[in-house]
Amino acid sequence: MQKLDRLGWMAGISVYAYGMRIGIRTNCPAIAERLPEFLPPGWEPGLSPLVDHLYSLRVGGPGASQRSRIYHWLYGGPTRLARTRVIEDVLETLAGDLELYVAMHARNRLFIHAGVVGWRGRAIVLPGRTWSGKSTLVAALLRAGATYYSDDMAVLDGRGLVHAFARPLSLRDYDPQQRSVQVRRCGPEEFGSGVGHAPLPVGLIALTRHDPDGRWRPRILTPAKAVLELMEFVMSADGEPDMILNALQPMVQHARALKGIRGEANETAAALLAAIEEMAEATPVLAA
Amino acid sequence: MNRVPVTITIEPSPIEIFTMMLPKARTHDLNVRELVEETVIYDLERHKAHSLNAAAAFVWRRCDGQTSIAELARLLHAELKLPESEELVRLALDQLARRHLLEDATPTVLPAPALLSRRDALKKLAVAAIALPVIMTITRRKAWGATSVPPSQACPPNTTECIPQNESSRDTVFRLISAKVCCAANEFCSTGGTCVRRAASACLPTGNPCAAGGTPCCSGACPKGGTCA
């Protein structure tokens, strides 16, 4: 870390997000101006020069004399996170690590690895691992008229309400010519939807993963089983069980939890909306 | 020829042990939440979460160390309308014991041959599967197991650098010695900015009486009231 400190840093920002103070320093003032677009949703400028976590972004360049200087380097604390010639890759890594760091250390909020949309005053939460098809299902729900909250993180408060964590959706497209997967970022407006702002009570929890041959025939989970299933997707690093249960208990208490594999996203989205509508008729949502 | 003393003890059979047992629920280091008819128990020692259905939760709640298995069976019948069967209670106790939710009971003392399997219980007791005592368990993993990459650590192991509490002007984001705290609970940040192991009696924990000039409180200086905050 001391070696990093000696490198000479010309610009930086200090931000405050979910109770964490985060610093990012760089040797390139032009890059510092771009940093805000890679910060977690809901960040605020930090007032203190002291931070809980520090990123160091060393920008290389074509005119560098030493071979190593043609690379861009990113460190999170003393840990090297990226070394690449493509600055966009470094910034994507920074955004991803920042999001993960905030999710794991947030104070007074519980982060769950899940997509979230809003539907008539209730949230549909879609917990799932990376590559399970969360973003695709979120996109299908947005096309069907739902409001966007998040495609990767459900942010819960102590009352079990879900808050927006609205970064652009990351949709993966397979390119058969290149034989590679391209990540495409797009806003909810591309699907004719907008971002929700009000925290919502959870109406439906759908634990699912995509299987091309699958069909959405879910089984209903009891509230306690839903809590156990959700624990698998809780991001908190400190693992305060009290805080986790405080958020999960009210979350599941008035929600229906379903589990199963799904096939086509649009078909599943329609089934999920039908399920939440049915539930809404049975138990009208209380004013928040 | 030397004579070897032999002691013969007559031990009760496993079935007798079970019959004699007055099971007692473990209550320490558990975080318990009631969810309608079910119960979620988080084991703080083993970092496991258990979901108990109505029957299992009922048995666990009434394991007070004074209620016999026969009595538990009677209560189960009276309250949840399940067949009055000691085997049903044993099925619940076996699952509770295996998950360390009973005091002084381990799976090894439970008489396996006498226990019914879930399938046997369904046949013999003619109850619906949903009514049988069931406990589901998960072990809580590191959360980033669910994601692609672990985040960089805020407090990396073997950290020696730190920011003393009284020093805030030395650092800026632009030429920062990152504001690290000491990772180990028994370390504190010295004025030189390094983590130093705290002596066993270096500070007084919360609630302990303290005096000015004496051993300091772990939270800082001794407050006016003379009790560490």
Side-chain angles (χ1 to χ4, degrees), chain A residues 5 9 51 129 222 232 242, chain B residues 33 38 141 143 149 174 176 179:
Chain A
D5 293 334
W9 302 99
V51 292
R129 294 180 189 283
T222 62
E232 293 269 325
D242 206 39
Chain B
R33 300 299 168 110
E38 304 164 289
R141 285 178 288 182
V149 284
F174 309 110
L176 186 77

Side-chain angles (χ1 to χ4, degrees), chain A residues 1-2 5 8-14 20-25 48-55 75-79 81 97 100-101 104-105 113 128-131 153 172 222-225 227-229 231-250 252-253, chain B residues 30-44 47-53 130 134-157 159-161 163-181 193-194:
Chain A
M1 195 67 193
Q2 283 171 347
D5 293 334
W9 302 99
M10 294 172 70
I13 54 170
S14 166
M20 301 304 300
R21 295 166 301 180
I22 299 161
I24 308 170
R25 59 185 175 181
S48 166
L50 282 179
V51 292
D52 298 306
H53 192 45
L54 177 66
Y55 289 93
Y75 287 84
T79 311
L81 302 177
D97 196 80
L100 215 48
Y101 179 80
M104 293 181 73
H105 297 91
H113 201 201
R129 294 180 189 283
T130 304
W131 289 84
M153 295 283 176
R172 296 186 178 93
T222 62
K225 283 182 180 165
V227 167
L228 258 60
E229 294 277 0
M231 274 189 169
E232 293 269 325
F233 300 100
V234 166
M235 301 295 295
S236 168
D238 303 329
E240 271 295 330
D242 206 39
M243 198 264 261
I244 294 170
L245 291 173
N246 278 349
L248 294 185
Q249 189 175 0
V252 301
Q253 219 137 30
Chain B
L30 298 178
N31 195 327
V32 182
R33 300 299 168 110
E34 304 282 345
L35 284 162
V36 198
E37 291 176 340
E38 304 164 289
T39 301
V40 171
I41 301 176
Y42 189 93
D43 187 333
L44 298 163
H47 293 286
K48 289 187 175 190
H50 311 284
S51 140
L52 281 62
N53 74 350
I130 201 166
V134 175
I135 304 177
M136 184 177 140
T137 300
I138 63 154
T139 303
R140 193 162 135 61
R141 285 178 288 182
K142 286 275 183 197
W144 48 262
T147 67
S148 317
V149 284
S152 50
Q153 292 168 297
C155 185
T159 299
T160 53
E161 257 184 280
I163 298 295
Q165 278 189 351
N166 58 357
E167 195 166 347
S168 58
S169 59
R170 164 174 117 179
D171 308 301
T172 69
V173 154
F174 309 110
R175 48 180 188 80
L176 186 77
I177 299 168
S178 73
K180 278 184 285 195
V181 293
T194 53

Side-chain angles (χ1 to χ4, degrees), chain B residues 188-200:
Chain B
F188 69 97
C189 190
S190 72
T191 48
T194 53
C195 293
V196 177
R197 190 175 291 274
R198 201 193 297 277

Side-chain angles (χ1 to χ4, degrees), chain B residues 56-186:
Chain B
F58 182 90
V59 172
W60 185 72
R61 287 267 170 218
R62 277 155 187 80
C63 286
D64 54 7
Q66 293 170 358
T67 309
S68 67
I69 290 172
E71 179 64 6
L72 283 170
R74 197 190 61 72
L75 288 169
L76 200 60
H77 172 65
E79 299 272 336
L80 297 186
K81 309 294 176 220
L82 288 173
E84 188 172 338
S85 158
E86 288 188 22
E87 281 157 329
L88 210 57
V89 176
R90 285 177 201 176
L91 197 64
L93 290 176
D94 178 55
Q95 293 184 68
L96 290 166
R98 282 177 199 281
R99 287 161 175 85
H100 305 275
L101 296 175
L102 294 180
E103 299 278 11
D104 306 318
T106 60
T108 51
V109 303
L110 299 179
L115 276 173
L116 286 180
S117 67
R118 275 176 58 79
R119 184 176 293 177
D120 294 339
L122 285 171
K123 280 184 196 164
K124 188 173 175 183
L125 304 171
V127 289
I130 201 166
L132 289 178
V134 175
I135 304 177
M136 184 177 140
T137 300
I138 63 154
T139 303
R140 193 162 135 61
R141 285 178 288 182
K142 286 275 183 197
W144 48 262
T147 67
S148 317
V149 284
S152 50
Q153 292 168 297
C155 185
N158 307 318
T159 299
T160 53
E161 257 184 280
C162 58
I163 298 295
Q165 278 189 351
N166 58 357
E167 195 166 347
S168 58
S169 59
R170 164 174 117 179
D171 308 301
T172 69
V173 154
F174 309 110
R175 48 180 188 80
L176 186 77
I177 299 168
S178 73
K180 278 184 285 195
V181 293
C182 299
C183 296
N186 60 346

Side-chain angles (χ1 to χ4, degrees), chain A residues 118-135:
Chain A
W119 181 261
R120 298 185 188 171
R122 292 174 199 259
I124 301 175
V125 178
L126 310 164
R129 294 180 189 283
T130 304
W131 289 84
S132 63
K134 293 189 300 293
S135 298

